């Protein structure tokens, strides 16, 4: 995989992880768990989809989709798709930094395993 292809793939991963953190920030801004009922589903969805972090997350998803398709056009899916697991690493760090979520020692070990796996994959 050349540098340009890698840049497209990693940009897609980073944008996807950013989308996750923004979507969670948006749900946090709404005050907790979302409960849909027949009487309130429309109002609730309007409230969700007009929350700035949610809109930002959706924008990140849209751009990540375009970047990802470009990256996929340049490399094998057997190389590109496993790179998405780096999104778990980035989103965990983002959740820790921006949302105050804790990363337990067990999660740190799991993140390390993911990183080792991606490095091994990238070297093939």
């Amino acid at each position: 995989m050349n540098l340009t292809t890698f840049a497209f793939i990693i940009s897609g991963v980073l944008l996807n992880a950013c989308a996750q953190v923004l979507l969670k920030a948006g749900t946090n801004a709404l005050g907790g768990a979302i409960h849909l009922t027949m009487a309130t589903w429309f109002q609730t969805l309007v409230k969700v989809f007009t929350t700035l972090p949610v809109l930002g997350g959706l924008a990140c998803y849209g751009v990540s989709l375009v970047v990802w398709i470009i990256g996929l056009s340049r490399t094998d899916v057997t190389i590109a798709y496993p790179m998405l697991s780096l999104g778990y690493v980035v989103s965990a760090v983002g959740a820790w930094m921006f949302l105050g979520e804790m990363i337990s020692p067990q999660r740190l070990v799991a993140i390390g395993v993911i990183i080792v796996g991606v490095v091994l994959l990238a070297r093939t």
Side-chain angles (χ1 to χ4, degrees), residues 71-91:
L72 280 178
S73 74
R74 297 166 179 243
T75 192
D76 294 339
V77 73
T78 56
I79 298 295
Y81 190 67
M83 294 286 192
L84 279 177
S85 35
L86 287 176
Y88 294 114
V89 177
V90 175
S91 62

Side-chain angles (χ1 to χ4, degrees), residues 38-99:
M38 290 300 287
T40 64
W41 72 269
F42 183 75
Q43 295 164 319
T44 302
L45 291 179
V46 168
K47 191 174 177 182
V48 167
F49 289 106
T50 57
T51 304
L52 193 57
V54 171
L55 292 173
L58 292 173
C60 284
Y61 266 139
V63 175
S64 77
L65 178 63
V66 171
V67 169
W68 187 254
I69 289 170
I70 293 168
L72 280 178
S73 74
R74 297 166 179 243
T75 192
D76 294 339
V77 73
T78 56
I79 298 295
Y81 190 67
M83 294 286 192
L84 279 177
S85 35
L86 287 176
Y88 294 114
V89 177
V90 175
S91 62
V93 171
W96 172 70
M97 290 176 62
F98 300 111
L99 302 175

